[in-house]
């Protein structure tokens, strides 16, 4: 009988955890809600950050620099300019739009057919050659545009940088604030849950003493506590996900009616995915386990 | 004192047994002017039955608590089953504890568990299979005459019944060494004698027993070695 399983059997664990949960009473609820609030905020921070990413992405597709070539540039230099532009670092895509073709297309689009005898709006082609260049990343847009502007023969450069970097910095702020908030709340939650567990341990001290005296190892004595905390944390994660899912649905429905939102984020979804739910539960469980570890470190008395 | 007829025939004490538990020059103080136990040495040999007597407050319970690792000595060492006890090796300690049964003076029953669950608890934490636990618990409760109270809760039991639950729990694991702290303290003379007879029978089957009591009449019922605590010192009394 001396050398038996070092790990608690289910026969032992299930009733113990159930009993401990039952006796914890409203303290359990407090722990679950604390974890849930933290993870709810984390979940929304995550969602908003994802949404902003999607927005940046969808704008990013339209992210290009348009450079207008001076119409007075001699043809020989035009060829050189093309080569130089194409060779710039950070260029993902490069399209040269010939002014003659552009003019023809524009005229066709606008129905400004220049037929003889009709009034020509423009006597000559008013367009210049146009270069559309896509940068490899958002960070490269501004420097690339600067470089292009300095090339000989470039008349002007246009790009959509400001709105995008604005959006990106919003995303960064959202991420940062979420992270800070979640860190702070996690610390609070760990402190709270471990205080609750300490209380449970103190209440159970006589029982723990008896368990020790009849030959239970610490692993056996404290595994139910770890499981209890893990299930409270997991429960908090689940609760956060359920509330998040419902609120996400509601918000999604409301936003669907807001045209500005559709324009900004396209078909980005606010729905809390099952993956996010799983993630929240895992974080909840981890918070619970960390809290137990902390509670034990500060409570378990060494034998006198 | 009225003469009590012995309920069991005295066993032959043999001093040949292996030392199963040992205190070596153990001193334990609780901060008072005099230590509770002062340089006490004691050797319990396998297969023996010892009475431990002494007036109230003489340190009987303290001595038992030192033996089962519930207390640590200020000085000196405790050896169990040939091994020096180190409270920091909690796994090892747990294994040593599984080889002994302790009847606590204050019972140490769990109030939110039934009698059967209290007894089963000692086996549950050792990871025994359910069926075996059930069987052993039944036997143990029968031994102490509490089968009919298996489902009752400690609060609803008399002091003597609680004591017998504590006895059943100490015996249920089939210990090699039984430390019994006033196991008859709350029992009427008749039940006391029954419990003594039970422990004596188990002793005859090989159980080593340390039996604490201040009821000297009990020590006269069976002829066993008597250890006496007095002023923090251990004396060996002659057989009555
Ligand atoms: N945890 C403790 N803290 C302080 N003093 C203690 C503690 N445990 C025991 N003592 C003291 O040690 C002395 C011996 O106590 P112990 O319980 O061992 O006596 P005992 O012989 O078992 O008495 P009784 O026959 O009444 O059970 C007592 O004076 C008691 O007050
Ligand atoms: Mg005592």
């Amino acid at each position: 009988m001396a050398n038996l399983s070092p790990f608690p059997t289910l026969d032992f664990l299930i009733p113990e955890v159930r009993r401990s949960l039952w006796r914890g009473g409203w303290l359990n609820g407090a722990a679950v809600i604390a974890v849930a609030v933290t993870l709810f905020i984390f979940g929304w921070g995550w969602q908003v950050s994802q949404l902003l990413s999607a927005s940046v992405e969808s704008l990013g597709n339209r992210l290009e620099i348009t450079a207008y070539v001076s119409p007075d540039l001699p043809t020989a230099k035009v060829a050189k300019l093309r080569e130089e532009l194409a060779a710039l670092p950070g260029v993902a895509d490069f399209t040269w739009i010939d002014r003659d073709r552009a003019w023809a297309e524009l005229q066709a689009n606008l129905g400004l057919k220049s037929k003889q005898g009709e009034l020509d709006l423009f006597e000559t082609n008013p367009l210049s050659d146009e270069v559309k260049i896509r940068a490899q990343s958002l960070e490269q847009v501004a420097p690339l545009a600067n470089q292009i502007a300095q090339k000989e023969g470039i008349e002007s450069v246009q790009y959509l940088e400001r709105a995008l970097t604005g959006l990106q910095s919003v995303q960064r702020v959202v991420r940062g604030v979420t992270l800070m908030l979640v860190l702070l709340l996690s610390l609070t939650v760990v402190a709270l849950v471990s205080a609750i567990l300490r209380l449970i341990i103190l209440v159970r001290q006589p029982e723990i003493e008896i368990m020790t005296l009849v030959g239970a190892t610490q692993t056996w004595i404290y595994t139910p506590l770890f499981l209890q905390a893990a299930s409270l944390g997991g429960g908090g994660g689940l609760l956060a996900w359920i509330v998040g899912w419902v609120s996400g649905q509601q918000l999604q429905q409301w936003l669907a009616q807001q045209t500005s939102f559709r324009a900004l984020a396209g078909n980005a979804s606010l729905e809390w995915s099952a993956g996010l739910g799983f993630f929240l539960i895992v974080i909840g469980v981890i918070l619970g386990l960390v809290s137990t570890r902390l509670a034990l470190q500060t409570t378990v008395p060494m034998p006198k | 004192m009225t003469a009590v007829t012995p309920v069991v025939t005295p066993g032959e004490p043999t001093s040949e047994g292996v030392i199963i538990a040992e205190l070596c020059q153990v001193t334990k103080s609780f901060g008072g002017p005099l230590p509770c136990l002062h340089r006490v040495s004691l050797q319990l040999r396998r297969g023996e039955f010892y009475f431990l007597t002494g007036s109230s407050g003489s340190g009987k319970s303290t001595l038992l608590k030192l033996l089962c690792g519930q207390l640590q000595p200020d000085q000196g060492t405790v050896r169990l089953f040939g091994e020096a006890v180190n409270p920091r090796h909690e796994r090892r300690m747990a294994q040593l504890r599984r080889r002994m049964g302790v009847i606590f003076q204050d019972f140490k029953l769990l109030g939110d568990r039934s009698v059967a669950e209290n007894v089963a608890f000692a086996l549950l934490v050792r990871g025994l299979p359910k069926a075996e636990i059930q069987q052993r618990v039944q036997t143990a409760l029968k031994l102490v005459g509490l089968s009919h109270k298996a489902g009752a809760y400690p609060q609803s039991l008399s002091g003597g019944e609680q004591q017998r639950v504590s006895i059943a729990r100490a015996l249920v694991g089939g210990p090699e060494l039984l430390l019994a702290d006033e196991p008859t303290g709350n029992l009427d003379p008749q039940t006391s004698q029954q419990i003594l007879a039970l422990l004596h029978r188990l002793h005859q089957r090989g159980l080593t027993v340390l039996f604490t009591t201040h009821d000297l009449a009990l020590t006269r019922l069976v002829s066993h070695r008597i250890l006496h605590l007095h002023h923090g010192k251990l004396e060996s009394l002659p057989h009555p």
Side-chain angles (χ1 to χ4, degrees), chain A residues 33-239:
Chain A
I33 288 171
V35 173
V37 167
T38 305
L39 293 181
F40 179 76
I41 291 175
F42 174 77
W44 266 121
W46 173 266
Q47 290 292 73
V48 170
S49 166
Q50 289 298 100
L51 186 71
L52 289 171
S53 289
S55 308
V56 169
E57 199 110 306
S58 67
L59 282 180
N61 288 335
R62 283 176 257 153
L63 165 68
E64 51 191 11
I65 302 164
T66 311
Y68 297 98
V69 181
S70 162
D72 311 327
L73 197 67
T75 326
K77 291 206 168 168
V78 166
K80 187 169 165 262
L81 181 65
R82 277 180 85 139
E83 276 167 34
E84 279 178 2
L85 289 181
L88 281 175
V91 173
D93 202 18
F94 175 91
T95 323
W96 188 281
I97 300 164
D98 188 79
R99 60 193 288 256
D100 294 332
R101 221 180 67 214
W103 180 230
E105 278 173 14
L106 187 65
Q107 280 178 318
N109 284 344
L110 296 177
L112 290 176
K113 282 262 156 72
S114 165
K115 285 177 193 158
Q116 271 193 342
E118 283 183 22
L119 179 71
D120 269 340
L121 274 173
F122 300 98
E123 284 172 9
T124 54
N125 183 348
L127 299 179
S128 41
D129 281 353
E130 204 179 305
V131 191
K132 293 208 179 290
I133 294 165
R134 246 168 24 91
Q136 278 161 356
S137 73
L138 192 61
E139 288 72 39
Q140 286 169 313
V141 171
L144 193 58
N146 269 335
Q147 281 180 307
I148 294 169
Q150 277 157 27
K151 294 283 173 206
E152 191 196 345
I154 296 291
E155 211 171 46
S156 66
V157 172
Q158 285 180 1
Y159 61 98
L160 233 181
E161 180 245 13
R162 203 171 287 176
L164 267 171
T165 42
L167 209 56
Q168 266 212 332
S169 63
V170 168
Q171 188 190 13
R172 259 198 295 276
V173 168
V174 167
R175 277 200 188 142
V177 168
T178 307
L179 203 71
M180 284 284 291
L181 213 58
V182 164
L183 268 178
L184 272 174
L185 282 168
S186 295
L187 287 179
T188 316
V189 162
V190 167
L192 179 74
V193 175
S194 71
I196 290 173
L197 292 170
R198 259 199 296 277
L199 217 59
I200 293 176
I201 294 172
L202 284 180
V203 169
R204 292 188 56 187
Q205 209 56 59
E207 195 176 335
I208 290 170
E209 189 196 8
I210 294 171
M211 288 171 102
T212 311
L213 289 172
V214 298
T217 58
Q218 304 261 313
T219 314
W220 278 67
I221 294 173
Y222 293 111
T223 303
L225 206 65
F226 274 102
L227 285 184
Q228 176 178 3
S231 58
L232 292 180
L238 185 65
L239 183 64

Side-chain angles (χ1 to χ4, degrees), chain A residues 16 23 207 215 218 304, chain B residues 72 90 95 98 112-113:
Chain A
E16 284 301 308
R23 276 193 304 194
E207 195 176 335
Q218 304 261 313
K304 289 178 276 305
Chain B
Q72 306 307 320
E90 66 95 12
Q95 289 190 333
R98 291 171 192 195
D112 60 346
R113 287 162 217 245

Side-chain angles (χ1 to χ4, degrees), chain B residues 30 36 55-62 105 182 214:
Chain B
F30 291 106
C36 177
S55 54
S56 180
S58 59
K60 302 183 294 295
S61 297
T62 304
Q105 189 170 11
E182 309 257 5
H214 45 223

Side-chain angles (χ1 to χ4, degrees), chain B residues 99-174:
Chain B
R99 298 173 66 179
M100 53 188 183
V102 185
I103 302 167
F104 302 98
Q105 189 170 11
D106 54 352
F107 315 142
K108 295 209 184 294
L109 300 179
L110 299 164
D112 60 346
R113 287 162 217 245
S114 71
V115 166
E117 284 172 329
N118 263 284
V119 177
F121 198 59
L123 300 179
L124 200 57
V125 298
R126 301 175 194 190
L128 256 67
K130 229 177 188 169
E132 189 181 344
I133 291 180
Q134 226 161 14
Q135 201 190 339
R136 279 171 175 259
V137 169
Q138 270 174 14
T139 312
L141 285 179
K142 209 181 287 173
L143 269 182
V144 297
L146 275 182
S147 300
H148 61 294
K149 294 276 186 181
Y153 282 79
Q155 304 93 286
S156 69
L157 298 182
S158 73
E161 285 168 332
Q162 292 186 31
Q163 187 141 43
R164 283 185 281 156
V165 179
S166 176
I167 295 171
R169 184 182 58 196
L171 295 176
V172 75

Side-chain angles (χ1 to χ4, degrees), chain B residues 80-96:
Chain B
L80 285 173
F81 307 102
E83 199 174 305
V85 163
N86 184 347
R88 254 175 285 191
H89 294 167
E90 66 95 12
R91 238 167 241 270
R92 197 74 208 113
M93 200 62 222
Q95 289 190 333
L96 293 177

